[in-house]
Amino acid sequence: MVVATVVRDYINRMLQDISGMKVSIVSVAYSQSDLLQKEVFLVQLVDSISKSKESMSHLKAVYFLRPTSENIQLLRRQLANPRFGEYHLFFSNILKDTQIHLLADSDEHEVVHQVQEFYADFVAIDPYHFTFNMPSNHLYMLPAVVDPPSLQHFCDRVVDGLAAVFLALKRRPVIRYQRTSDTVKRIAHEAAKLMYQQESGLFDFRRTEISPLLLIIDRRDDPVTPLLNQWTYQAMVHELIGIQDNKVDLRNISKVPKDQQEIVLSSEQDAFFKANMYENFGDIGMNIKRMVDDFQQVAKSNQSIQTIEDMAKFVENYPEYRKMHGNVSKHVTLVTEMSKIVEERKLMLVSETEQELACNGGQGAALEAITNLLYNDSVSDTDRLRLVMLYALRYEKESPVQLMQLFNKLASRSAKYKPGLVQFLLKQAGVDKRTGDLYGNRDFLSIARNMARGLKGVENVYTQHQPLLFQTMESITKGRLRDVDYPYVGSHFQQGRPQDVIIFVVGGTTYEEARSVALFNATNSGVRFILGGSAILNSKRFLKDMEEAMRITQSSASVI
């Protein structure tokens, strides 16, 4: 049950039975060189194909599309004036009968050779991590009274995506959801209705083993994780620079060569990244140094070309040499840029206080540390805001007066601060709204676990935080996930401990959580977890979603 493999298999099946040159639309699961081996010589987006009039009747077109009404209309227009000799249509989710009839009516030139459903309506980022990349990710934060039509579209997209994930895995899950979230409850019930009623035949795989568990939770149950700075490789790149569909845009960084302005960071295609994506920043530096040393040895051996045999060997190994050179250059550039950002924004100082707020008690010391950082001119406005938010989440009930003083100091020090944003966060994700034991202080077992962890010490002060998701996985593994907090949908209950669990986070996942899932899977046999979400967050995206949700909420209140 590995999502990246499922998507690659779908694309293999799409391309292997169609001989000759092709044009294709594919996902992050395939590299350009992989496609060339499948005789794919042109890759385009469907709307860019519409803009071109050039006939390419010698090519066979392989379309891979979401079955949206917009895509169906684009296809109909293209089939009216076909540019390609053959059309092979693959849709990433369930097609409606009406859509099939529309396509059939549009195929007057009889160029469509096949129409199939290949359920890959998600982006497989890593083997155990997928996302739906939803642009309107802020909608889940809107209060129930606002409920715009776009929130229903949001829920529909999540339900469609979850359906595709389970159709791809050929399983029908038992569904549980976080009781305190209205949006999560709506998605859970609509997903169950689709899988057990509307399309029950499609999901009836007649399998006898224990059904997988789909647990749907709300991002607001753990607002701390997306607010923290990150110190492991993949998570840190996303936090400080940004990753989109396994690609990193370096165009805004000076002195980066043209061929390095957009780089790919994929555990499927980059052995160094796969080995180091979960390592902490200090170890990455040493591992890159070793990689540079290895490359220098190879470069030296290439300089001593004396004979025809040496030359032939060099030519034979040149593609591998070029690949190695590109890889070394890529990782050196990333680590150099991140080191610069860490120094400029004094992130080691900031992050130490963040980790103390997330993991340890001590309100007086925390208040003093934050106050000092608020008045430190090297600390950015965003970092100041995140520190105050982390303090507010931890101590919202302890001292309201101190909290108000901190809000005032933040407003006076940060010109860009939007008044009310911290209060909006507390309304959305404060202690009264949360289900999980975010700070490990609600019951004796959690307190004892934290004490034991404190006595053992932590390997690294910057990576001591553990996402709430880790506790959730432990609870599932030990059969301790409380029915009252995470009820089942309908009468479909779990018979025995699940072997496969998909945890879907409405509001988005983080790479820190993806790391927790990968490490948990590597060390625990018996239960395998996959993490999915509506988006992949860093602190910038989380704050942007919150600002947009607050703006809509305030404008709705003024209309009422």
Side-chain angles (χ1 to χ4, degrees):
M1 198 169 87
V2 177
V3 285
T5 307
V6 167
V7 176
R8 283 185 68 86
D9 288 348
Y10 273 143
I11 297 169
N12 274 332
R13 282 166 57 194
M14 262 185 241
L15 301 176
Q16 69 188 10
D17 296 330
I18 306 165
S19 60
M21 294 191 292
K22 321 169 187 78
V23 55
S24 176
I25 295 108
V26 294
S27 79
V28 294
Y30 243 67
S31 70
Q32 202 79 21
S33 53
D34 288 337
L35 289 171
L36 282 170
Q37 288 172 13
K38 298 284 184 186
E39 299 183 278
V40 175
F41 297 100
L42 178 63
V43 179
Q44 286 188 306
L45 293 172
V46 67
D47 51 356
S48 64
I49 291 174
S50 301
K51 291 168 193 165
S52 176
K53 302 292 182 216
E54 183 188 353
S55 174
M56 295 187 181
S57 55
H58 59 293
L59 286 178
K60 298 169 183 176
V62 181
Y63 279 66
F64 186 37
L65 306 165
R66 292 198 65 237
T68 62
S69 52
E70 294 84 2
N71 283 343
I72 297 294
Q73 289 308 316
L74 278 168
L75 259 181
R76 290 184 69 195
R77 284 202 291 274
Q78 289 175 32
L79 291 173
N81 291 295
R83 289 177 57 206
F84 305 107
E86 293 179 12
Y87 284 71
H88 301 262
L89 309 181
F90 297 90
F91 290 91
S92 64
N93 217 317
I94 303 166
L95 268 172
K96 297 186 181 80
D97 287 345
T98 51
Q99 292 175 321
I100 296 170
H101 290 308
L102 282 171
L103 289 173
D105 291 344
S106 305
D107 186 25
E108 291 177 8
H109 298 274
E110 297 184 348
V111 286
V112 176
H113 281 238
Q114 60 177 321
V115 178
Q116 290 198 53
E117 294 170 349
F118 275 12
Y119 306 109
D121 200 4
F122 52 91
V123 182
I125 297 296
D126 291 311
Y128 301 108
H129 188 201
F130 69 88
T131 179
F132 295 156
N133 271 351
M134 295 172 69
S136 302
N137 191 53
H138 61 275
L139 290 166
Y140 78 101
M141 288 192 193
L142 298 180
V145 289
V146 176
D147 197 15
S150 49
L151 181 57
Q152 186 57 49
H153 294 316
F154 177 93
C155 294
D156 290 345
R157 171 67 186 102
V158 172
V159 170
D160 287 348
L162 289 172
V165 168
F166 284 97
L167 286 169
L169 297 171
K170 296 183 170 54
R171 309 292 297 276
R172 175 161 50 189
V174 166
I175 302 173
R176 297 178 72 174
Y177 63 94
Q178 182 186 316
R179 179 184 52 80
T180 51
S181 170
D182 291 333
T183 306
V184 160
K185 182 179 179 180
R186 185 193 296 195
I187 288 167
H189 281 270
E190 288 179 10
K193 188 179 177 184
L194 178 72
M195 294 179 193
Y196 283 93
Q197 294 173 31
Q198 294 164 338
E199 297 289 349
S200 61
L202 206 51
F203 283 88
D204 186 8
F205 294 108
R206 308 242 172 228
R207 296 178 71 155
T208 53
E209 67 262 47
I210 296 168
S211 296
L213 170 64
L214 167 61
L215 176 65
I216 307 174
I217 58 177
D218 193 305
R219 174 74 269 165
R220 291 168 292 185
D221 213 37
D222 176 7
V224 169
T225 299
L227 285 171
L228 293 172
N229 267 302
Q230 299 299 322
W231 295 94
T232 57
Y233 197 22
Q234 184 185 39
M236 197 173 178
V237 173
H238 189 46
E239 177 61 30
L240 300 184
I241 302 172
I243 304 173
Q244 181 67 38
D245 296 339
N246 286 346
K247 293 193 287 287
V248 183
D249 187 346
L250 298 174
R251 280 174 297 187
N252 295 328
I253 296 169
S254 58
K255 296 179 184 171
V256 172
K258 270 227 161 118
D259 62 339
Q260 294 273 330
Q261 288 187 346
E262 185 179 74
I263 60 175
V264 175
L265 269 189
S266 166
S267 60
E268 298 284 306
Q269 298 166 25
D270 181 338
F272 179 84
F273 182 65
K274 184 178 183 177
N276 290 279
M277 59 199 283
Y278 302 134
E279 297 295 324
N280 70 53
F281 193 48
D283 293 337
I284 293 297
M286 290 187 287
N287 294 345
I288 285 181
K289 167 88 170 61
R290 274 196 287 273
M291 182 168 67
V292 170
D293 291 344
D294 291 345
F295 177 70
Q296 285 173 337
Q297 290 299 320
V298 173
K300 264 185 203 165
S301 69
N302 283 339
Q303 284 170 2
S304 57
I305 297 174
Q306 306 287 337
T307 65
I308 296 291
E309 286 79 11
D310 290 343
M311 201 178 293
K313 191 176 175 186
F314 173 75
V315 170
E316 186 185 329
N317 294 332
Y318 185 70
E320 194 58 37
Y321 173 77
R322 285 288 301 158
K323 185 181 175 184
M324 195 177 179
H325 176 270
N327 226 24
V328 170
S329 174
K330 170 173 79 176
H331 291 292
V332 168
T333 300
L334 279 176
V335 170
T336 304
E337 181 59 23
M338 290 195 298
S339 300
K340 202 162 77 180
I341 295 168
V342 166
E343 177 54 37
E344 280 172 3
R345 287 170 51 187
K346 301 291 178 256
L347 290 184
M348 294 187 91
L349 199 62
V350 171
S351 189
E352 197 171 339
T353 304
E354 287 176 3
Q355 291 286 326
E356 281 297 310
L357 282 167
C359 306
N360 305 311
Q363 186 180 358
L367 184 65
E368 186 183 342
I370 289 174
T371 304
N372 290 337
L373 289 167
L374 284 178
Y375 287 100
N376 185 330
D377 290 335
S378 298
V379 176
S380 71
D381 284 353
T382 303
D383 293 328
R384 289 182 184 129
L385 172 61
R386 290 189 302 103
L387 285 164
V388 172
M389 283 181 163
L390 289 165
Y391 181 89
L393 285 165
R394 177 116 206 183
Y395 299 114
E396 63 177 298
K397 297 290 187 186
E398 268 83 343
S399 180
V401 175
Q402 281 184 338
L403 211 49
M404 283 309 299
Q405 289 171 347
L406 212 50
F407 294 162
N408 293 335
K409 284 174 187 168
L410 176 65
S412 69
R413 292 294 298 162
S414 298
K416 294 176 187 171
Y417 173 61
K418 291 183 171 54
L421 193 60
V422 184
Q423 290 92 323
F424 183 75
L425 170 66
L426 293 179
K427 269 186 192 167
Q428 289 284 313
V431 67
D432 296 334
K433 298 282 186 184
R434 297 195 298 265
T435 301
D437 189 2
L438 186 58
Y439 295 107
N441 55 10
R442 283 192 190 173
D443 62 51
F444 178 74
L445 269 175
S446 299
I447 293 165
R449 191 192 298 121
N450 280 353
M451 282 175 68
R453 200 157 154 244
L455 289 169
K456 280 183 205 162
V458 283
E459 192 183 329
N460 185 330
V461 69
Y462 300 107
T463 55
Q464 58 184 305
H465 173 257
Q466 236 174 25
L468 182 64
L469 184 79
F470 185 84
Q471 284 179 39
T472 307
M473 289 190 291
E474 275 195 330
S475 298
I476 292 168
T477 305
K478 293 171 181 173
R480 290 185 186 151
L481 196 69
R482 286 156 44 107
D483 292 5
V484 67
D485 292 329
Y486 301 96
Y488 290 88
V489 179
S491 57
H492 307 286
F493 300 106
Q494 201 84 49
Q495 303 298 321
R497 190 177 72 167
Q499 294 168 333
D500 295 303
V501 180
I502 290 184
I503 300 178
F504 187 85
V505 188
V506 174
T509 57
T510 65
Y511 282 116
E512 184 185 352
E513 289 162 330
R515 176 179 182 265
S516 274
V517 168
L519 297 181
F520 200 95
N521 284 340
T523 53
N524 289 273
S525 59
V527 183
R528 184 162 52 170
F529 289 89
I530 289 177
L531 178 66
S534 48
I536 300 180
L537 303 173
N538 51 17
S539 61
K540 184 179 176 183
R541 175 71 188 270
F542 185 59
L543 292 171
K544 186 182 166 196
D545 286 346
M546 210 184 308
E547 285 178 14
E548 185 60 16
M550 185 175 83
R551 185 190 65 76
I552 295 169
T553 304
Q554 288 174 343
S555 61
S556 300
S558 62
V559 168
I560 292 164

